[in-house]
Coordinates of all heavy atoms in Angstrom, one line a residue:
G210 N 133.0 121.4 81.0 CA 133.2 120.0 80.9 C 133.0 119.6 79.3 O 133.8 118.8 78.8
T211 N 132.0 120.1 78.7 CA 131.8 119.7 77.3 C 132.8 120.3 76.4 O 133.3 119.7 75.5 CB 130.3 120.2 76.9 OG1 130.2 121.6 77.1 CG2 129.3 119.4 77.6
L212 N 133.2 121.5 76.6 CA 134.2 122.2 75.8 C 135.6 121.5 75.9 O 136.4 121.6 75.0 CB 134.2 123.7 76.1 CG 133.0 124.5 75.6 CD1 133.2 125.9 75.9 CD2 132.7 124.3 74.1
A213 N 135.8 121.0 77.1 CA 137.0 120.2 77.3 C 137.1 118.9 76.5 O 138.1 118.5 76.0 CB 137.2 119.9 78.7
C214 N 135.9 118.4 76.2 CA 135.8 117.2 75.4 C 135.9 117.6 74.0 O 136.5 116.8 73.2 CB 134.5 116.5 75.7 SG 134.3 115.7 77.3
N215 N 135.3 118.8 73.6 CA 135.3 119.1 72.2 C 135.4 120.7 72.1 O 134.3 121.3 72.2 CB 134.1 118.5 71.5 CG 134.0 119.0 69.9 OD1 135.0 119.7 69.5 ND2 133.0 118.6 69.3
P216 N 136.4 121.3 71.9 CA 136.6 122.7 71.9 C 135.9 123.4 70.9 O 135.6 124.6 70.9 CB 138.1 123.0 71.9 CG 138.7 121.7 72.4 CD 137.8 120.6 72.0
K217 N 135.5 122.6 69.8 CA 134.9 123.1 68.6 C 133.3 123.2 68.8 O 132.6 123.8 67.8 CB 135.1 122.3 67.4 CG 136.7 122.3 67.1 CD 137.0 121.5 65.8 CE 138.5 121.5 65.4 NZ 138.7 120.6 64.3
L218 N 132.8 122.7 69.9 CA 131.4 122.8 70.0 C 130.8 124.2 70.2 O 131.5 125.1 70.6 CB 131.0 122.0 71.4 CG 130.9 120.6 71.4 CD1 130.8 120.0 72.9 CD2 129.8 120.0 70.5
T219 N 129.6 124.4 69.6 CA 128.9 125.7 69.9 C 128.0 125.3 71.2 O 127.2 124.5 71.0 CB 128.0 126.1 68.7 OG1 128.9 126.3 67.6 CG2 127.2 127.4 69.0
Y220 N 128.2 126.1 72.2 CA 127.5 125.9 73.4 C 126.3 126.9 73.4 O 126.4 128.1 73.2 CB 128.4 126.2 74.6 CG 127.8 126.0 76.0 CD1 127.9 124.7 76.6 CD2 127.1 127.0 76.6 CE1 127.2 124.5 77.8 CE2 126.5 126.7 77.9 CZ 126.6 125.4 78.5 OH 126.0 125.3 79.7
H221 N 125.1 126.3 73.7 CA 123.7 127.1 73.8 C 123.2 127.0 75.3 O 123.1 126.0 75.8 CB 122.8 126.5 72.8 CG 123.3 126.5 71.4 ND1 123.0 127.4 70.5 CD2 123.9 125.5 70.7 CE1 123.6 127.1 69.3 NE2 124.0 125.9 69.4
N222 N 123.1 128.2 75.8 CA 122.4 128.2 77.1 C 120.8 127.8 77.1 O 120.2 128.4 76.4 CB 122.6 129.5 77.8 CG 124.0 129.7 78.3 OD1 124.4 129.1 79.2 ND2 124.7 130.7 77.6
L223 N 120.5 126.9 77.9 CA 119.2 126.5 77.9 C 118.8 125.9 79.3 O 119.3 124.8 79.6 CB 118.9 125.4 76.8 CG 117.5 124.9 76.8 CD1 116.4 125.8 76.4 CD2 117.4 123.6 75.7
N224 N 118.0 126.5 80.0 CA 117.4 126.1 81.3 C 116.4 124.9 81.1 O 115.9 124.7 80.1 CB 116.9 127.2 82.1 CG 118.0 128.0 82.9 OD1 118.9 127.3 83.3 ND2 117.9 129.3 82.8
E225 N 116.2 124.2 82.2 CA 115.2 123.1 82.2 C 114.0 123.5 82.9 O 113.9 124.4 83.8 CB 115.8 121.9 82.9 CG 117.0 121.3 82.1 CD 117.4 120.0 82.8 OE1 117.3 119.8 84.1 OE2 118.0 119.1 82.1
T226 N 112.9 122.9 82.4 CA 111.5 123.0 83.0 C 111.3 121.8 83.9 O 111.5 120.7 83.5 CB 110.5 123.1 81.9 OG1 110.8 124.3 81.1 CG2 109.1 123.2 82.4
M227 N 110.7 122.1 85.1 CA 110.5 120.9 86.0 C 109.1 120.3 85.8 O 108.4 120.8 85.0 CB 110.6 121.5 87.5 CG 111.9 122.0 87.8 SD 113.3 120.9 87.9 CE 114.2 121.2 86.4
R228 N 108.8 119.2 86.5 CA 107.5 118.6 86.4 C 106.4 119.5 86.9 O 106.5 120.3 87.8 CB 107.6 117.3 87.2 CG 108.6 116.3 86.7 CD 108.6 115.1 87.6 NE 109.4 115.2 88.9 CZ 109.6 114.3 89.7 NH1 109.2 113.0 89.5 NH2 110.2 114.5 90.9
A229 N 105.2 119.4 86.2 CA 104.2 120.5 86.4 C 103.7 120.8 87.8 O 103.6 121.9 88.1 CB 103.1 120.0 85.5
C230 N 103.7 119.7 88.6 CA 103.0 119.8 89.8 C 103.8 120.6 90.8 O 103.4 121.3 91.8 CB 102.8 118.4 90.5 SG 104.2 117.5 91.1
F231 N 105.1 120.8 90.5 CA 106.0 121.6 91.4 C 105.9 123.2 91.2 O 106.4 123.9 91.9 CB 107.5 121.2 91.2 CG 107.8 119.9 91.7 CD1 107.7 118.7 90.8 CD2 107.8 119.5 93.1 CE1 107.9 117.5 91.2 CE2 108.0 118.2 93.5 CZ 108.0 117.2 92.6
Y232 N 105.1 123.6 90.1 CA 104.8 125.0 90.0 C 103.6 125.5 90.8 O 103.2 126.6 90.8 CB 104.6 125.2 88.5 CG 105.8 125.1 87.8 CD1 106.3 123.8 87.2 CD2 106.7 126.1 87.4 CE1 107.4 123.7 86.4 CE2 107.8 126.0 86.7 CZ 108.2 124.9 86.2 OH 109.3 124.6 85.5
E233 N 103.0 124.5 91.5 CA 101.8 124.8 92.4 C 102.2 124.4 93.8 O 102.8 123.5 94.1 CB 100.6 124.2 91.9 CG 100.2 124.5 90.5 CD 99.0 123.8 90.0 OE1 98.5 122.9 90.7 OE2 98.4 124.2 88.9
G234 N 101.8 125.3 94.8 CA 102.0 124.9 96.1 C 103.2 125.7 96.8 O 104.0 126.3 96.0
N235 N 103.2 125.8 98.0 CA 104.2 126.7 98.7 C 104.6 126.2 100.0 O 103.6 125.8 100.9 CB 103.6 128.2 98.8 CG 104.7 129.1 99.2 OD1 105.9 128.8 99.5 ND2 104.3 130.4 99.4
W236 N 105.9 126.0 100.3 CA 106.2 125.5 101.7 C 105.8 126.6 102.7 O 105.8 127.8 102.5 CB 107.8 125.5 101.6 CG 108.4 125.0 103.0 CD1 108.5 123.8 103.5 CD2 108.9 125.9 104.0 NE1 109.1 123.8 104.7 CE2 109.3 125.1 105.1 CE3 109.1 127.3 104.1 CZ2 109.9 125.6 106.2 CZ3 109.6 127.8 105.2 CH2 110.1 127.0 106.2
S237 N 105.5 126.1 103.9 CA 105.1 126.9 105.0 C 105.8 126.4 106.3 O 105.7 125.2 106.6 CB 103.6 126.9 105.2 OG 103.2 127.4 106.4
R238 N 106.4 127.2 107.0 CA 107.0 126.8 108.2 C 105.9 126.3 109.3 O 106.2 125.4 110.1 CB 107.7 128.0 108.9 CG 108.4 127.8 110.3 CD 109.4 126.6 110.2 NE 109.9 126.2 111.5 CZ 109.4 125.2 112.2 NH1 108.4 124.5 111.7 NH2 109.8 124.9 113.4
K239 N 104.8 126.8 109.2 CA 103.7 126.4 110.1 C 103.1 125.0 109.8 O 102.8 124.3 110.7 CB 102.6 127.4 110.1 CG 103.0 128.7 110.7 CD 101.7 129.7 110.6 CE 102.1 131.1 111.2 NZ 100.9 132.1 111.1
R240 N 103.2 124.7 108.5 CA 102.6 123.3 108.0 C 103.6 122.2 108.0 O 103.3 121.1 107.8 CB 101.9 123.6 106.7 CG 100.7 124.4 106.7 CD 99.9 124.3 105.5 NE 100.6 124.7 104.3 CZ 100.6 126.0 103.9 NH1 100.0 126.9 104.5 NH2 101.3 126.3 102.8
C241 N 105.0 122.6 107.9 CA 106.0 121.5 107.7 C 106.2 120.8 109.1 O 105.8 121.3 110.1 CB 107.2 122.1 107.2 SG 108.3 123.0 108.5
R242 N 106.8 119.7 109.0 CA 107.2 119.0 110.3 C 108.6 119.5 110.8 O 109.5 119.5 110.1 CB 107.4 117.5 110.0 CG 106.1 116.8 109.5 CD 106.4 115.4 109.0 NE 105.2 114.8 108.4 CZ 105.3 113.6 107.7 NH1 106.4 113.0 107.5 NH2 104.2 113.1 107.2
S243 N 108.4 120.0 112.0 CA 109.6 120.7 112.6 C 110.8 119.7 112.7 O 110.6 118.5 113.1 CB 109.3 121.1 114.0 OG 108.3 122.2 114.0
F244 N 112.0 120.1 112.2 CA 113.3 119.4 112.3 C 113.2 118.2 111.4 O 114.0 117.2 111.6 CB 113.5 119.0 113.7 CG 113.4 120.1 114.7 CD1 112.6 119.8 115.8 CD2 113.8 121.3 114.5 CE1 112.3 120.8 116.8 CE2 113.6 122.4 115.4 CZ 112.9 122.1 116.5
E245 N 112.5 118.2 110.4 CA 112.4 117.1 109.4 C 113.2 117.4 108.3 O 113.2 118.5 107.7 CB 111.0 116.9 108.9 CG 110.9 115.8 107.7 CD 110.9 114.4 108.2 OE1 110.8 114.2 109.4 OE2 111.0 113.4 107.4
I246 N 114.2 116.5 108.0 CA 115.2 116.6 106.8 C 114.8 115.8 105.7 O 114.6 114.5 106.0 CB 116.6 116.3 107.3 CG1 117.1 117.2 108.6 CG2 117.7 116.5 106.3 CD1 118.2 116.6 109.3
F247 N 114.8 116.2 104.5 CA 114.4 115.4 103.3 C 115.6 115.4 102.3 O 116.2 116.4 102.1 CB 113.2 116.0 102.6 CG 112.8 115.1 101.4 CD1 112.6 113.8 101.5 CD2 112.7 115.7 100.2 CE1 112.3 113.0 100.4 CE2 112.3 115.0 99.1 CZ 112.1 113.6 99.2
A248 N 116.0 114.2 101.9 CA 117.0 114.0 100.8 C 116.3 113.2 99.7 O 115.5 112.2 100.0 CB 118.2 113.3 101.4
S249 N 116.5 113.5 98.4 CA 115.8 113.0 97.5 C 116.2 111.6 96.9 O 115.6 110.9 96.3 CB 115.8 113.9 96.2 OG 117.0 114.0 95.7
Q250 N 117.5 111.3 97.3 CA 118.1 109.9 96.8 C 119.3 109.6 97.7 O 120.0 110.5 98.2 CB 118.5 110.1 95.4 CG 118.8 108.9 94.7 CD 119.2 109.1 93.2 OE1 119.0 110.2 92.7 NE2 119.5 108.0 92.4
G251 N 119.5 108.3 97.9 CA 120.7 107.9 98.7 C 121.1 106.6 98.4 O 121.7 105.9 99.3
D252 N 120.9 106.0 97.2 CA 121.1 104.6 96.9 C 122.5 104.4 96.4 O 122.9 103.2 96.1 CB 120.1 104.1 96.1 CG 120.0 104.8 94.8 OD1 120.0 106.1 94.8 OD2 119.8 104.1 93.7
Y253 N 123.3 105.4 96.0 CA 124.7 105.1 95.6 C 125.7 106.3 96.0 O 125.1 107.4 96.3 CB 124.8 104.9 94.0 CG 124.4 106.0 93.1 CD1 125.3 106.7 92.5 CD2 123.1 106.2 92.8 CE1 124.9 107.7 91.6 CE2 122.7 107.1 91.9 CZ 123.6 107.9 91.3 OH 123.2 108.9 90.4
P254 N 126.9 106.1 96.1 CA 127.8 107.0 96.9 C 127.8 108.4 96.4 O 127.9 109.4 97.1 CB 129.2 106.4 96.8 CG 128.9 104.9 96.5 CD 127.6 104.9 95.8
L255 N 127.7 108.6 95.0 CA 127.8 109.9 94.5 C 126.7 110.9 95.0 O 127.0 112.0 95.2 CB 127.6 109.9 92.9 CG 128.0 111.1 92.2 CD1 129.4 111.3 92.2 CD2 127.5 111.0 90.6
K256 N 125.6 110.4 95.5 CA 124.6 111.2 96.1 C 124.8 111.6 97.5 O 124.1 112.5 98.0 CB 123.2 110.5 96.0 CG 122.8 110.2 94.6 CD 122.6 111.5 93.8 CE 122.2 111.3 92.4 NZ 122.0 112.5 91.5
G257 N 125.9 111.1 98.2 CA 126.4 111.6 99.3 C 125.5 111.4 100.6 O 125.6 112.2 101.6
F258 N 124.7 110.4 100.6 CA 123.8 110.2 101.8 C 124.6 109.8 103.0 O 124.2 110.2 104.2 CB 122.7 109.1 101.5 CG 121.7 108.9 102.6 CD1 120.9 110.0 102.9 CD2 121.5 107.8 103.2 CE1 119.9 109.9 103.8 CE2 120.5 107.6 104.1 CZ 119.7 108.7 104.5
H259 N 125.7 109.2 102.9 CA 126.6 108.9 104.0 C 127.1 110.2 104.7 O 127.3 110.2 105.9 CB 127.7 108.0 103.6 CG 128.5 108.5 102.5 ND1 128.1 108.5 101.2 CD2 129.8 109.0 102.4 CE1 129.1 109.0 100.3 NE2 130.1 109.3 101.1
Y260 N 127.3 111.2 103.9 CA 127.8 112.5 104.5 C 126.5 112.9 105.5 O 126.9 113.4 106.7 CB 127.9 113.6 103.6 CG 129.1 113.4 102.5 CD1 128.8 113.7 101.1 CD2 130.3 113.0 102.9 CE1 129.9 113.6 100.2 CE2 131.3 112.8 102.1 CZ 131.1 113.1 100.6 OH 132.1 112.9 99.7
L261 N 125.4 112.9 105.1 CA 124.3 113.3 106.0 C 124.1 112.4 107.3 O 124.0 112.9 108.4 CB 123.0 113.2 105.2 CG 121.7 113.6 105.9 CD1 121.8 115.0 106.6 CD2 120.5 113.6 105.0
L262 N 124.4 111.1 107.2 CA 124.4 110.2 108.2 C 125.5 110.6 109.2 O 125.3 110.6 110.4 CB 124.5 108.8 107.8 CG 123.3 108.2 107.0 CD1 123.5 106.7 106.7 CD2 121.9 108.5 107.7
Q263 N 126.6 111.0 108.7 CA 127.8 111.3 109.6 C 127.5 112.7 110.3 O 128.1 112.9 111.3 CB 129.1 111.3 108.7 CG 129.5 110.0 108.1 CD 130.5 110.2 107.1 OE1 130.7 111.1 106.4 NE2 131.4 109.1 106.9
A264 N 126.7 113.5 109.6 CA 126.5 114.9 110.2 C 125.3 114.7 111.3 O 125.2 115.6 112.1 CB 126.0 115.8 109.1
M265 N 124.6 113.6 111.3 CA 123.4 113.5 112.2 C 123.6 113.7 113.7 O 123.0 114.3 114.4 CB 122.6 112.3 111.9 CG 121.6 112.4 110.7 SD 120.4 113.8 110.9 CE 119.3 113.0 112.1
P266 N 124.7 113.0 114.1 CA 125.0 113.1 115.6 C 125.2 114.5 116.1 O 124.7 115.0 117.1 CB 126.3 112.3 115.8 CG 126.3 111.3 114.7 CD 125.7 112.0 113.6
E267 N 125.9 115.4 115.3 CA 126.0 116.8 115.7 C 124.7 117.5 115.7 O 124.3 118.4 116.6 CB 127.0 117.5 114.8 CG 127.3 118.9 115.0 CD 128.4 119.5 114.2 OE1 129.2 118.7 113.5 OE2 128.4 120.8 114.1
I268 N 123.8 117.2 114.7 CA 122.5 117.9 114.6 C 121.6 117.4 115.8 O 121.0 118.2 116.3 CB 121.8 117.4 113.3 CG1 122.6 117.9 112.0 CG2 120.4 117.9 113.2 CD1 122.3 117.4 110.7
L269 N 121.7 116.2 116.1 CA 120.9 115.6 117.2 C 121.3 116.1 118.5 O 120.4 116.2 119.5 CB 121.0 114.0 117.1 CG 120.2 113.4 116.0 CD1 120.5 111.9 115.9 CD2 118.7 113.6 116.2
R270 N 122.5 116.6 118.8 CA 122.9 117.1 120.0 C 122.2 118.4 120.3 O 121.8 118.7 121.5 CB 124.5 117.4 120.1 CG 125.3 116.1 120.3 CD 126.6 116.4 120.7 NE 127.5 117.0 119.6 CZ 128.1 116.3 118.7 NH1 128.1 114.9 118.8 NH2 128.8 116.8 117.7
E271 N 121.9 119.2 119.3 CA 121.2 120.4 119.5 C 119.6 120.2 119.2 O 118.9 120.9 119.9 CB 121.6 121.5 118.6 CG 121.0 122.9 118.8 CD 121.6 124.1 118.0 OE1 122.6 123.7 117.3 OE2 121.1 125.2 118.1
F272 N 119.4 119.3 118.3 CA 117.9 119.1 118.0 C 117.6 117.7 118.1 O 117.6 117.0 117.0 CB 117.6 119.7 116.6 CG 117.8 121.2 116.4 CD1 119.0 121.7 116.0 CD2 116.8 122.0 116.9 CE1 119.2 123.0 115.9 CE2 117.0 123.4 116.8 CZ 118.1 123.9 116.3
P273 N 117.4 117.1 119.2 CA 117.1 115.7 119.4 C 115.9 115.1 118.6 O 115.8 113.9 118.5 CB 117.0 115.5 120.9 CG 116.7 116.8 121.4 CD 117.4 117.8 120.5
G274 N 115.0 116.0 118.3 CA 113.8 115.5 117.5 C 114.1 115.5 116.0 O 113.1 115.2 115.3
A275 N 115.3 115.8 115.6 CA 115.6 115.7 114.1 C 115.3 114.3 113.5 O 115.6 113.3 114.2 CB 117.0 116.2 113.9
H276 N 114.9 114.4 112.3 CA 114.6 113.0 111.6 C 114.9 113.2 110.1 O 114.7 114.4 109.5 CB 113.1 112.7 111.8 CG 112.7 111.5 111.1 ND1 112.1 111.4 109.9 CD2 112.7 110.1 111.6 CE1 111.9 110.2 109.6 NE2 112.2 109.4 110.5
V277 N 115.4 112.1 109.5 CA 115.6 112.2 108.0 C 114.7 111.2 107.3 O 114.5 110.1 107.6 CB 117.1 111.7 107.8 CG1 117.3 111.7 106.3 CG2 118.1 112.7 108.5
S278 N 114.1 111.8 106.3 CA 113.5 110.9 105.3 C 114.2 111.0 103.9 O 114.6 112.1 103.5 CB 111.9 111.4 105.0 OG 111.1 111.3 106.2
V279 N 114.3 109.9 103.3 CA 115.1 109.8 102.0 C 114.2 109.0 101.0 O 113.7 107.9 101.3 CB 116.4 109.2 102.2 CG1 116.4 107.8 102.7 CG2 117.2 109.2 100.8
A280 N 114.0 109.6 99.9 CA 113.3 108.8 98.7 C 114.3 108.0 97.9 O 115.5 108.1 98.1 CB 112.7 109.9 97.8
G281 N 113.7 107.2 97.1 CA 114.5 106.4 96.2 C 114.6 104.9 96.6 O 114.0 104.4 97.6
I282 N 115.4 104.2 95.9 CA 115.5 102.7 96.1 C 116.1 102.4 97.6 O 117.1 103.0 97.9 CB 116.5 102.1 95.1 CG1 116.0 102.3 93.7 CG2 116.7 100.7 95.3 CD1 117.0 102.0 92.6
P283 N 115.4 101.7 98.3 CA 115.8 101.3 99.7 C 117.0 100.3 99.5 O 116.8 99.2 99.1 CB 114.6 100.7 100.3 CG 113.6 100.3 99.2 CD 114.0 101.0 98.0
V284 N 118.2 100.7 100.0 CA 119.3 99.9 99.9 C 119.8 99.3 101.3 O 120.8 98.6 101.4 CB 120.4 100.6 99.2 CG1 120.1 100.9 97.8 CG2 120.9 101.8 99.9
T285 N 119.2 99.8 102.3 CA 119.6 99.4 103.7 C 118.7 98.4 104.3 O 119.0 97.9 105.5 CB 119.6 100.7 104.6 OG1 118.2 101.2 104.6 CG2 120.5 101.7 104.1
G286 N 117.8 97.8 103.6 CA 116.9 96.8 104.3 C 117.7 95.5 104.7 O 118.6 95.0 104.0
Y287 N 117.4 95.0 105.9 CA 118.1 93.8 106.4 C 117.2 93.0 107.4 O 117.7 92.2 108.0 CB 119.3 94.4 107.2 CG 120.6 93.4 107.2 CD1 121.1 93.1 106.0 CD2 121.0 92.8 108.4 CE1 122.3 92.3 106.1 CE2 122.1 92.1 108.4 CZ 122.7 91.7 107.3 OH 123.8 90.9 107.2
A288 N 115.9 93.2 107.2 CA 115.0 92.5 108.2 C 114.7 91.0 107.8 O 114.5 90.2 108.6 CB 113.7 93.3 108.3

Side-chain angles (χ1 to χ4, degrees):
T211 54
L212 293 179
C214 290
N215 180 3
K217 296 181 181 179
L218 282 167
T219 298
Y220 183 91
H221 304 270
N222 284 293
L223 177 64
N224 276 317
E225 289 184 332
T226 300
M227 298 294 103
R228 296 178 287 186
C230 72
F231 294 97
Y232 290 86
E233 299 177 352
N235 191 1
W236 177 85
S237 168
R238 176 63 188 92
K239 294 180 180 178
R240 293 193 299 271
C241 76
R242 297 173 184 166
S243 294
F244 316 129
E245 176 76 12
I246 303 165
F247 180 57
S249 66
Q250 194 174 355
D252 56 319
Y253 62 102
L255 194 68
K256 296 301 179 181
F258 189 57
H259 53 287
Y260 296 138
L261 180 54
L262 295 184
Q263 291 167 339
M265 278 299 288
E267 185 174 344
I268 296 168
L269 289 167
R270 279 196 291 272
E271 184 173 356
F272 297 97
H276 178 270
V277 174
S278 292
V279 58
I282 301 170
V284 296
T285 58
Y287 209 65

